[in-house]
Amino acid sequence: MAGGVQIDTDGVGDFGTGMQKQATNGFADIAGRGADLHRQGVGFGSRMTPSDIVTQAKVRYAEALAHAEANLRAYQTAAGILAEVAEQIAQQFSTVDLNSKQAQQQVEYLMATATAAANRALTLDPDGGPA
């Protein structure tokens, strides 16, 4: 098929299902464990006489934790977006003639839209967290 997109709809569907499981369970589990580990806040330096250096380090550490957790949530969102479009492509194109120009354009549109949405979910603000 010259110039066309070939889609293994079963493979794309399996990919989408697996990615959706990771987005729903995997990232959520990791984010939950991270939140549990850091729920008590920044513990180091608590038995020391407060100093500017320790205080600044604690603030930076807390900010880093917040950014890491925000990034996990953003990755979870992006994974969900990509999983959804993979499942959508598999469903919509399992019975169509992928040689048709309209089918090719629809696949390209779905992929471009999902990629743009996933990129927006992963875009970081100047402070290092999701925008």
Side-chain angles (χ1 to χ4, degrees):
M1 166 169 43
V5 174
Q6 290 183 317
I7 297 177
D8 172 2
T9 55
D10 290 337
V12 172
D14 290 346
F15 169 80
T17 300
M19 183 71 95
Q20 193 64 263
K21 285 180 184 175
Q22 285 299 315
T24 303
N25 300 326
F27 286 118
D29 182 48
I30 292 167
R33 282 186 282 160
D36 288 344
L37 287 171
H38 302 109
R39 190 172 321 281
Q40 76 281 357
V42 179
F44 72 85
S46 60
R47 295 185 180 167
M48 302 173 67
T49 304
S51 71
D52 287 344
I53 293 172
V54 171
T55 301
Q56 289 172 7
K58 288 177 76 166
V59 167
R60 286 194 301 273
Y61 184 72
E63 289 170 350
L65 289 176
H67 290 306
E69 290 174 8
N71 285 333
L72 279 173
R73 287 189 301 276
Y75 290 135
Q76 182 180 13
T77 299
I81 290 167
L82 296 175
E84 186 177 311
V85 79
E87 291 173 339
Q88 186 178 5
I89 287 171
Q91 288 173 352
Q92 287 183 3
F93 296 98
S94 62
T95 59
V96 300
D97 175 11
L98 289 176
N99 289 316
S100 76
K101 185 175 181 177
Q102 182 181 10
Q104 296 292 324
Q105 290 172 337
Q106 182 65 13
V107 169
E108 290 169 8
Y109 171 77
L110 289 170
M111 291 170 60
T113 302
T115 301
N119 283 335
R120 280 192 304 277
L122 295 172
T123 300
L124 300 179
D125 69 21
D127 294 326

